[in-house]
Amino acid sequence: MPDIGDLAVTGGAALGTMVGVPAHTPSALRPRYPVRTERLTLRPLTAGDTDALLAYRGLPDVCRYVPFEPMTREVVDERMAVQWARTELTAEGQGLTLGVEVADSGALVGDVVLFWHSTEHAGGELGYIFDPAFSGHGYATEAASAMLRLGFDELGLHRIVARVDERNEPSAKLARRLGMRQEARLVHNEYFKGEWTTELNFAMLADEWAAHRGI
């Protein structure tokens, strides 16, 4: 079904031209590592990151609003061998998780993920989780912005979303700092970890990203 923006209609008659194919279609993302920002480096996770990952992914407070329980060493090892082993995106349905390291100290402060959901609709999703011991420095904003750049500028996505539990105020504030728009508030849409929860949906389009970055 075409997006309403593809047609100009009056009385049911199409006055414009239907767009059958996007101006560009995402094909693959093969970053050159490490991905550098002003203060950070983003890179694939390795077995040497296990202790640092457990330091925050093993905390109940950090995992309260995300779709997994506090992680054990065994769970981290399993993810390292499967989900986190991916270093590129070559097809829809894949996700790329990168560790976020402070360039000056080498400390792993969190990780970010970019999912490629659809080739046809050029859609993706952003996720992030950070060690609260390093909060207040703007690392999450800097790293998540780098992932948006990879998604829009290198993979060629048209739209990237972020889904946030309404109670997770820091995560929602981060989405807004990135320039993402809140598009929906889904009241009690999921029975999550023993209770009904409300989800906030944020989104950004490629042209909005360009405007946000001053391109």
Side-chain angles (χ1 to χ4, degrees):
M1 183 175 183
D3 185 88
I4 195 169
D6 292 340
L7 295 174
V9 297
T10 301
L15 302 181
T17 301
M18 183 172 179
V19 179
V21 179
H24 52 79
T25 302
S27 56
L29 172 63
R30 296 183 174 91
R32 296 180 63 182
Y33 296 114
V35 176
R36 301 185 185 277
T37 69
E38 182 179 354
R39 300 174 297 164
L40 308 171
T41 59
L42 279 63
R43 52 157 180 84
L45 294 166
T46 70
D49 298 317
T50 299
D51 288 340
L53 287 163
L54 288 171
Y56 60 95
R57 281 181 168 265
L59 296 176
D61 286 348
V62 171
C63 300
R64 182 181 179 189
Y65 303 123
V66 294
F68 55 82
E69 299 296 335
M71 290 188 172
T72 63
R73 188 171 297 273
E74 291 72 24
V75 171
V76 169
D77 289 344
E78 289 174 4
R79 293 214 176 187
M80 200 74 71
V82 185
Q83 293 101 317
W84 298 342
R86 185 177 300 283
T87 61
E88 59 186 22
L89 296 179
T90 57
E92 64 181 22
Q94 298 175 348
L96 176 65
T97 299
L98 300 180
V100 180
E101 189 177 271
V102 178
D104 289 344
S105 66
L108 186 77
V109 297
D111 55 87
V112 286
V113 60
L114 178 67
F115 295 103
W116 179 4
H117 286 323
S118 172
T119 299
E120 179 183 4
H121 304 297
E125 182 175 346
L126 173 70
Y128 37 80
I129 184 166
F130 281 79
D131 189 336
F134 295 93
S135 64
H137 298 283
Y139 294 147
T141 304
E142 190 171 328
S145 181
M147 292 301 274
L148 288 175
R149 181 183 63 79
L150 291 178
F152 286 124
D153 297 345
E154 297 195 24
L155 180 55
L157 295 177
H158 170 68
R159 173 183 167 89
I160 297 177
V161 302
R163 297 180 297 160
V164 178
D165 189 307
E166 184 178 53
R167 299 166 298 173
N168 193 349
E169 294 181 7
S171 186
K173 288 179 179 178
L174 172 54
R176 295 186 178 100
R177 284 198 301 273
L178 293 169
M180 304 185 86
R181 292 171 288 99
Q182 182 179 325
E183 292 189 330
R185 178 174 181 264
L186 307 179
V187 179
H188 286 193
N189 69 311
E190 286 189 357
Y191 192 71
F192 179 70
K193 295 186 177 180
E195 58 186 322
W196 288 106
T197 59
T198 296
E199 178 183 301
L200 302 180
N201 287 353
F202 294 87
M204 175 178 273
L205 301 178
D207 57 354
E208 293 171 327
W209 164 252
H212 180 71
R213 298 292 292 167
I215 298 174

